[in-house]
Amino acid sequence: MTTEASISGLRAFFEQSGPVIVAFSGGVDSALVAWAANDVLGDAALSVTAVSASLATDEATDCAALAAEWGLHWRTVETDEMTRAAYRINDADRCFHCKSALMDQLEPLAAERAAMVVLGVNVDDLGDHRPGQHAARDRGARFPLVEAGFAKSDVRRVSAELGLRTWDKPAAACLASRLPYGTQVTVPLLRKLDRAEAALRRLGFGQLRVRDYGDTARLELPLEDLAAAITQREAIVDAVAGVGYRYVTLDLEGFRSGNLNGALTPGESLAQSQGAQSEGAQSQGAQSQTAPR
């Protein structure tokens, strides 16, 4: 796929879409969708950032900065996933409940504007365990990058060609993704992870994950950063222990986005195998699962 064809395909989507509500997290994918929607539709494209304890503070700040830089028609909404027992349990379908909470906020905005909801999902995402995609798609959301044939590499290449500073932004995900399935999601724990990762970014590390295992923090960094991590060992330990971890470990396999999904076995995803169910029924089923550590 050529860069020009990629741009044309994405613009063509919005030329035919009518007004849209863009779920804008500030990541490389949703940033390109928001930029293209704004470029084609102007004020008929509303970019919306969902604010909750699962959104890293740095990401929330960058969403506001990008909206100002690009002249996006932008606003925030607060989502209530933390009030949902099925989300806090943190089973294999946590993302399903999170996206459901997001759609609860975006659908009324879409109805007011006679708009469709669009998300920054790319073709590569379709092959991973992403129950949130099902929650959004089942409620009518569309994925412009998928429909235009964008893989992750296309997103980054096109963003670079357009001069968007997000083209090489490290992969981001909600803070709850740092918790092994079965570890209950709490606001204090998410804030702890947020502070730990922010401290590491201040030390110069860009792409990273801090995975929580009780008193132990397992750090994932790109393989090319492992030598620098050893050099800065004392500063890293001080930074991570400073937010409340007793032990700080470095994963020698390096950074792997979504690697906690490797602990899942076929059939663990209620949303995909059975469709949307009541929150109470999902909570009862989730409580019988063993936490994959």
Side-chain angles (χ1 to χ4, degrees):
M1 178 183 297
T2 67
T3 299
E4 185 55 37
S6 299
I7 296 169
S8 298
L10 190 56
R11 284 185 171 137
F13 176 93
F14 292 113
E15 287 167 357
Q16 300 169 16
S17 68
V20 297
I21 304 293
V22 181
F24 178 51
S25 68
V28 61
D29 296 321
S30 70
L32 179 58
V33 172
W35 184 93
N38 183 67
D39 185 56
V40 174
L41 297 171
D43 285 348
L46 174 63
S47 294
V48 180
T49 299
V51 177
S52 72
S54 65
L55 179 67
T57 302
D58 288 349
E59 291 300 313
T61 300
D62 199 38
C63 283
L66 288 169
E69 290 171 25
W70 296 345
L72 302 180
H73 185 43
W74 174 75
R75 62 166 292 180
T76 63
V77 294
E78 292 187 6
T79 52
D80 68 352
E81 65 268 21
M82 286 299 302
T83 69
R84 305 180 182 212
Y87 173 83
R88 297 194 305 273
I89 285 171
N90 190 24
D91 71 354
D93 285 323
R94 181 197 68 243
C95 292
F96 181 91
H97 306 300
C98 184
K99 279 295 187 293
S100 293
L102 173 63
M103 292 300 295
D104 284 347
Q105 295 299 316
L106 298 187
E107 283 179 336
L109 295 175
E112 290 174 7
R113 300 168 64 87
M116 72 168 66
V117 176
V118 296
L119 275 67
V121 176
N122 67 66
V123 171
D124 293 334
D125 293 332
L126 301 179
D128 197 3
H129 174 69
R130 303 287 179 94
Q133 293 175 14
H134 296 267
R137 187 178 58 211
D138 290 349
R139 293 172 68 168
R142 290 175 64 179
F143 308 151
L145 295 174
V146 171
E147 295 190 34
F150 276 69
K152 176 65 78 173
S153 60
D154 298 312
V155 174
R156 292 193 180 278
R157 185 179 68 249
V158 169
S159 297
E161 287 289 328
L162 292 170
L164 307 184
R165 65 171 173 83
T166 51
W167 77 271
D168 64 346
K169 188 173 183 178
C174 80
L175 292 169
S177 68
R178 278 58 160 175
L179 304 175
Y181 292 114
T183 299
Q184 182 162 334
V185 182
T186 67
V187 172
L189 186 49
L190 296 179
R191 289 175 176 166
K192 182 179 180 181
L193 289 163
D194 190 15
R195 295 196 303 273
E197 293 194 351
L200 292 177
R201 282 191 288 271
R202 288 194 293 272
L203 292 175
F205 297 99
Q207 186 69 78
L208 63 99
R209 293 285 186 272
V210 176
R211 309 287 189 187
D212 178 275
Y213 292 86
D215 286 342
T216 300
R218 175 168 63 81
L219 277 53
E220 293 181 13
L221 299 170
L223 294 176
E224 59 269 23
D225 288 348
L226 295 186
I230 297 301
T231 301
Q232 299 186 66
R233 180 183 64 83
E234 292 185 4
I236 289 174
V237 171
D238 288 344
V240 179
V243 305
Y245 287 103
R246 184 174 181 183
Y247 305 106
V248 182
T249 65
L250 183 63
D251 190 325
L252 296 183
E253 289 190 79
F255 171 81
R256 289 102 66 211
S257 180
N259 80 81
L260 293 180
N261 287 339
L264 298 177
T265 57
E268 282 193 89
S269 175
L270 297 175
Q272 292 189 59
S273 62
Q274 300 175 17
Q277 302 181 46
S278 69
E279 182 172 304
Q282 288 177 341
S283 299
Q284 293 173 4
Q287 288 172 348
S288 67
Q289 296 184 8
T290 301
R293 296 275 180 167

